[in-house]
Amino acid sequence: SPDILLKNIKSASDTSDILMSVKMHHEIMNDRHIMQAFRSIFNLQKHEHTSLSNGEVARSADFKSLCHELKKQIRNLDVSDRIDALKTLSFLGVSATTKIVQILLHTITRDIGDLSLQQITFFDFLIKDFENCPLVEALQIALPIVFDTSLQTKMESDSLQYLTDLLHYATRKNLSAASLFLIESLMKKRSEMDFKSARSIIRSICALKVDDVRHRSLLHHALDLMVESQSNCTYQDYDILISKMIPKYLARNYYFYHEEFMNAAINFVIKNNCGFNESVWMLRKATKFGHVSYELLDYLIGKIEVNRKLIEDCGGLVLFTLIRGLSQADYQPPNWRNIEPLVLKNALSQKNKLHPPWIKFVRDLCILGTWSTELIELIFSPEFQAKCLHDYNLYDHLMLISIYQAVKTLYPMYTGPWPNPQTIELAAKTNGIHAMESPLRDSLVQGLGDKRCVLNGVSTKLGHFIDHVIAVRQGGYPVPFTNVDTTTQLFLEDLPRMEDCTVVAIFHLPATAFATNTGKLRGATRMMIHTLECYEVSVAYVNAHTWEQLLDTERVPFVMSLIKTV
């Protein structure tokens, strides 16, 4: 005969109807009735088909009766039923320290070895917001361990969605071995990947605390698919994924940069006219990767031309990000001189705030050929340096000496204060210490035929550090440096200048000296070279990445060819 009580519970349209059934029939309810009541209450409350709040349900006498019946029937329930009951209790906000929740946790813990992988992940999800108690804390430790040890024996499917869900859990629990196994399994299924799974996989790989280059293939396949499916992407998709990739990239996991994905994000912003602030945030992300987009910069400048208030009234973060993007690209827009006064006016209105990165901002302005005596005086002032440079920071000091070099050589009309000589001396000594010995030396000596033709680690009295200095006559013929004491610090200004000879400063530049996508010099490096050229020397440089790709037999011809082009 049909089970009328079960049918009534299933068909209830309001939680109060279920509670009434419990009130009238709790003494005859079996395990099927009880579990149906829990599941129906969850669905009705979740979809707000109820006249009662979650708290009112949990506090009601009839719900307490239902929990009492659950305790009586708990031995007849399989583990999936107990997890479902716990799900309802959690949704209603019932405390983890209540007797019914503790009983459920204990019985599930007893059967923890029987849980499927999906049950482990869902159970872990359920208890993550429970208030701490010894049992919850023990489970939070045990569940990832059980997942990790039983992954390969309990996998029920090799479907893409199943593997993607498991990877989501494994990466968030930082299970390196399990994550790598799942990543390798997903690589075999990559042809089935769709937009949704690609997005999830990228987020999962970004969540791993231990990075492994073996993740790269799957990550890039997922990013490739995102580019192919860019019609499905929203601004939020790009924003969230790129925000997660940046910390990985900055931690020297360079495979988290994907040029086409970054281009797709920028194109989305421009094509959909996402707005000024959203475009600035995308520019901010691009600069973290060293990715240059002239189209995005022109788009932003165009917005400012139409509405000057965008730059006149913007906050420091927006202002500094825009200038940072322009300087990194070493790009002065055609209409820059119209916008320059607006930038300076805004910056000067904020100059009494100490927390903005003024040194970086002024350095970026110098790169753009924008000279603000007032801002230069600010960062060179004893007060600023006492407050902002009291803790030694290599990066700040290197930027300060970069500004010092630029002002000394490119802005001779400056008459304001100069940094403390000790500060400049310290920065000058530090400039170059962080650099490893240049790998060009042996090839230069071999190519030029005489080690006296190559000077290493030469400085200027303004604090430049030069990997190598050589002198060549017309035609590229090397000239040895004689009467030079190479056991002491060499200064470019003190080197003998021979008639009809060109002095060449040679640099082995790291990848960070170049834009990641265009390969062009970043603004800071270009300005350093420009200031050095004021010493009437020629400058040649080698991209470290290019050098690493050369065979040993190619290196000497390469440097000799480089010298001849100077």
Side-chain angles (χ1 to χ4, degrees):
S1 62
D3 190 328
I4 303 299
L5 177 57
L6 186 65
K7 182 180 178 182
N8 288 342
I9 294 172
K10 279 185 177 180
S11 61
S13 58
D14 192 292
T15 302
S16 59
D17 297 335
I18 298 173
L19 295 177
M20 181 57 70
S21 294
V22 172
K23 182 176 183 178
M24 296 176 63
H25 305 294
H26 65 89
E27 292 181 352
I28 63 168
M29 292 179 77
N30 60 28
D31 56 328
R32 293 178 64 211
H33 300 133
I34 292 166
M35 285 313 305
Q36 186 58 57
F38 270 94
R39 292 186 180 109
S40 293
I41 289 172
F42 175 83
N43 288 326
L44 290 169
Q45 291 298 120
K46 182 178 180 181
H47 296 101
E48 299 181 352
H49 295 157
T50 177
S51 56
L52 302 171
S53 68
N54 287 348
E56 288 172 331
V57 174
R59 291 190 297 270
S60 71
D62 298 324
F63 185 74
K64 290 176 181 176
S65 294
L66 180 63
C67 291
H68 180 71
E69 296 304 319
L70 175 67
K71 282 187 281 186
K72 288 163 57 176
Q73 296 283 347
I74 205 158
R75 292 185 179 181
N76 299 325
L77 302 178
D78 63 28
V79 71
S80 62
D81 285 337
R82 282 173 270 155
I83 290 174
D84 271 352
L86 191 66
K87 176 178 73 173
T88 302
L89 292 166
S90 173
F91 185 78
L92 295 176
V94 177
S95 170
T97 58
T98 57
K99 189 171 183 180
I100 183 61
V101 173
Q102 286 287 304
I103 290 172
L104 285 167
L105 290 174
H106 271 291
T107 61
I108 297 171
T109 302
R110 182 190 64 207
D111 297 330
I112 196 169
D114 298 329
L115 296 178
S116 70
L117 295 173
Q118 284 185 313
Q119 286 173 331
I120 290 172
T121 61
F122 184 66
F123 186 31
D124 202 333
F125 169 77
L126 275 183
I127 66 173
K128 72 180 176 65
D129 293 326
F130 278 178
E131 60 191 277
N132 280 345
C133 65
L135 187 52
V136 169
E137 291 173 359
L139 281 166
Q140 287 172 335
I141 295 170
L143 287 169
I145 295 173
V146 175
F147 179 96
D148 199 23
T149 55
S150 58
L151 173 64
Q152 297 188 41
T153 57
K154 285 193 173 183
M155 276 182 54
E156 299 167 1
S157 166
D158 66 348
S159 76
L160 185 81
Q161 187 58 55
Y162 179 73
L163 293 172
T164 301
D165 291 343
L166 295 184
L167 180 65
H168 177 85
Y169 179 81
T171 55
R172 274 149 187 77
K173 296 300 177 179
N174 200 32
L175 304 175
S176 300
S179 298
L180 185 58
F181 173 77
L182 289 165
I183 285 169
E184 290 172 345
S185 300
L186 280 162
M187 272 302 291
K188 298 172 185 175
K189 308 288 290 184
R190 63 187 180 277
S191 61
E192 300 174 20
M193 194 182 296
D194 59 10
F195 171 80
K196 185 178 178 181
S197 58
R199 183 176 57 188
S200 175
I201 287 167
I202 295 165
R203 295 182 71 162
S204 292
I205 293 176
C206 288
L208 268 171
K209 290 184 174 62
V210 178
D211 300 300
D212 191 316
V213 73
R214 287 175 290 180
H215 306 157
R216 175 178 181 155
S217 295
L218 183 63
L219 175 67
H220 277 242
H221 185 82
L223 287 165
D224 287 341
L225 193 141
M226 292 291 287
V227 173
E228 293 170 12
S229 310
Q230 56 188 278
S231 59
N232 295 321
C233 280
T234 64
Y235 178 85
Q236 287 71 27
D237 288 328
Y238 287 119
D239 185 54
I240 290 170
L241 293 179
I242 293 171
S243 295
K244 291 181 179 298
M245 291 160 66
I246 286 170
K248 297 293 189 178
Y249 178 83
L250 295 179
R252 298 181 182 275
N253 299 298
Y254 297 125
Y255 59 90
F256 278 89
Y257 169 69
H258 191 281
E259 181 178 345
E260 291 78 13
F261 186 65
M262 198 68 233
N263 284 334
I266 290 168
N267 290 337
F268 179 92
V269 166
I270 297 172
K271 181 179 177 181
N272 292 280
N273 199 22
C274 288
F276 184 74
N277 284 340
E278 289 78 4
S279 305
V280 170
W281 303 147
M282 192 58 70
L283 174 64
R284 183 173 174 80
K285 291 172 172 56
T287 60
K288 300 289 186 183
F289 288 116
H291 182 101
V292 168
S293 171
Y294 300 108
E295 294 80 9
L296 180 57
L297 293 169
D298 284 338
Y299 173 78
L300 286 165
I301 294 298
K303 289 279 186 184
I304 294 168
E305 283 189 298
V306 173
N307 182 3
R308 293 160 57 106
K309 286 191 173 297
L310 290 174
I311 202 71
E312 287 177 335
D313 300 338
C314 70
L317 183 59
V318 170
L319 180 70
F320 289 14
T321 297
L322 176 64
I323 300 307
R324 177 68 176 149
L326 290 167
S327 74
Q328 189 180 83
D330 199 20
Y331 179 57
Q332 191 183 93
N335 50 355
W336 174 243
R337 293 307 169 199
N338 297 328
I339 293 171
E340 183 183 57
L342 309 179
V343 169
L344 292 178
K345 182 179 178 181
N346 186 324
L348 290 170
S349 72
Q350 303 184 52
K351 76 168 191 173
N352 292 324
K353 299 177 182 177
L354 286 176
H355 64 274
W358 285 115
I359 296 177
K360 182 187 290 187
F361 181 69
V362 174
R363 195 274 307 267
D364 289 341
L365 289 178
C366 293
I367 290 167
L368 295 173
T370 295
W371 306 98
S372 168
T373 298
E374 201 167 339
L375 288 176
I376 294 169
E377 288 177 343
L378 169 70
I379 64 163
F380 282 177
S381 69
E383 296 79 14
F384 179 87
Q385 292 186 36
K387 290 178 180 177
C388 299
L389 290 176
H390 56 280
D391 292 327
Y392 183 73
N393 179 297
L394 174 62
Y395 189 51
D396 281 346
H397 280 73
L398 291 178
M399 284 194 294
L400 182 69
I401 203 166
S402 174
I403 299 167
Y404 177 73
Q405 293 163 358
V407 175
K408 281 284 189 181
T409 57
L410 306 176
Y411 189 47
M413 59 284 296
Y414 177 73
T415 58
W418 295 98
N420 185 308
Q422 287 77 24
T423 301
I424 293 298
E425 184 180 352
L426 176 62
K429 286 181 179 178
T430 306
N431 191 15
I433 290 176
H434 61 288
M436 297 176 64
E437 183 176 336
S438 165
L440 307 181
R441 179 182 176 277
D442 291 345
S443 296
L444 283 168
V445 170
Q446 187 178 343
L448 297 174
D450 188 339
K451 67 179 182 180
R452 295 177 303 163
C453 293
V454 183
L455 298 179
N456 308 301
V458 178
S459 296
T460 71
K461 292 176 182 178
L462 291 184
H464 298 87
F465 178 84
I466 308 166
D467 290 321
H468 309 286
V469 171
I470 65 171
V472 293
R473 295 197 307 272
Q474 190 172 2
Y477 297 103
V479 178
F481 290 95
T482 57
N483 301 319
V484 173
D485 183 3
T486 57
T487 62
T488 61
Q489 177 59 56
L490 299 175
F491 290 97
L492 184 64
E493 296 92 330
D494 298 336
L495 295 181
R497 294 295 181 105
M498 292 155 279
E499 192 174 349
D500 298 327
C501 283
T502 300
V503 175
V504 183
I506 301 175
F507 290 90
H508 175 259
L509 294 177
T512 52
F514 303 86
T516 313
N517 56 323
T518 66
K520 294 181 180 179
L521 284 174
R522 293 194 192 186
T525 308
R526 194 274 310 155
M527 185 173 75
M528 180 274 291
I529 290 173
H530 191 186
T531 60
L532 193 58
E533 287 171 337
C534 293
Y535 286 85
E536 297 183 352
V537 299
S538 296
V539 177
Y541 56 85
V542 177
N543 186 326
H545 179 71
T546 302
W547 185 255
E548 289 166 7
Q549 306 304 310
L550 295 174
L551 299 173
D552 288 345
T553 55
E554 297 173 324
R555 289 181 169 178
V556 172
F558 181 88
V559 294
M560 296 310 294
S561 175
L562 181 71
I563 292 168
K564 288 178 181 178
T565 62
V566 174

